[in-house]
Amino acid sequence: MPALRWQAADGAAAVATLQGAHLVSWIPAGGDERLYLSERSPFEAGRAIRGGVPVVFPQFGERGPLAHHGFARTSAWRLAREEGDRLMFALESCGETLRLWPHAFALELAITIGGPRLVMEF
């Protein structure tokens, strides 16, 4: 599964998949892995990853007509920008998403690492 690994100047590191812009690893500077990731995650296109930090959109759980937690977590995101210790991912509505959910949208997720901090802005 395509993923991006990046590292801050102080040694903090992270990994996020392009499917779902899903953060699957975060290691603070001088520390150990802080995120749980199930050994049973299939890491297959279109299948949800178990663990890490998923993006839930446009619905939570089964509180709507879509797949559990919506489609953003299994959609192909793109890397919009890379700014050192910060990566910005993007997902826009398209024919496929509009068939599932008839609303235009544009999502951005910024993930910043450094020292003991992990900052995620949606």
Side-chain angles (χ1 to χ4, degrees):
M1 175 173 287
L4 299 170
R5 182 183 191 283
W6 72 106
Q7 187 168 338
D10 62 14
V15 176
T17 63
L18 289 177
Q19 175 179 289
H22 196 126
L23 186 66
V24 295
S25 174
W26 170 53
I27 302 172
D32 297 317
E33 179 62 58
R34 297 293 171 93
L35 300 181
Y36 169 79
L37 192 61
S38 173
E39 295 174 357
R40 295 179 11 205
S41 280
F43 291 99
E44 296 172 4
R47 299 205 42 207
I49 297 169
R50 299 169 56 112
V53 182
V55 174
V56 175
F57 177 86
Q59 73 181 41
F60 182 78
E62 297 173 353
R63 296 181 181 187
L66 302 172
H68 194 76
H69 293 317
F71 53 77
R73 70 187 189 143
T74 56
S75 294
W77 290 60
R78 66 178 173 82
L79 177 63
R81 285 191 304 281
E82 183 174 358
E83 301 166 345
D85 58 0
R86 175 184 166 135
L87 295 187
M88 176 79 73
F89 297 88
L91 177 68
E92 294 88 21
S93 54
C94 64
E96 182 180 338
T97 63
L98 291 169
R99 280 190 293 282
L100 296 170
W101 191 62
H103 305 281
F105 66 89
L107 304 178
E108 289 186 333
L109 174 66
I111 305 174
T112 307
I113 58 172
R117 294 178 2 130
L118 166 68
V119 178
M120 298 180 76
E121 300 169 90
F122 187 58

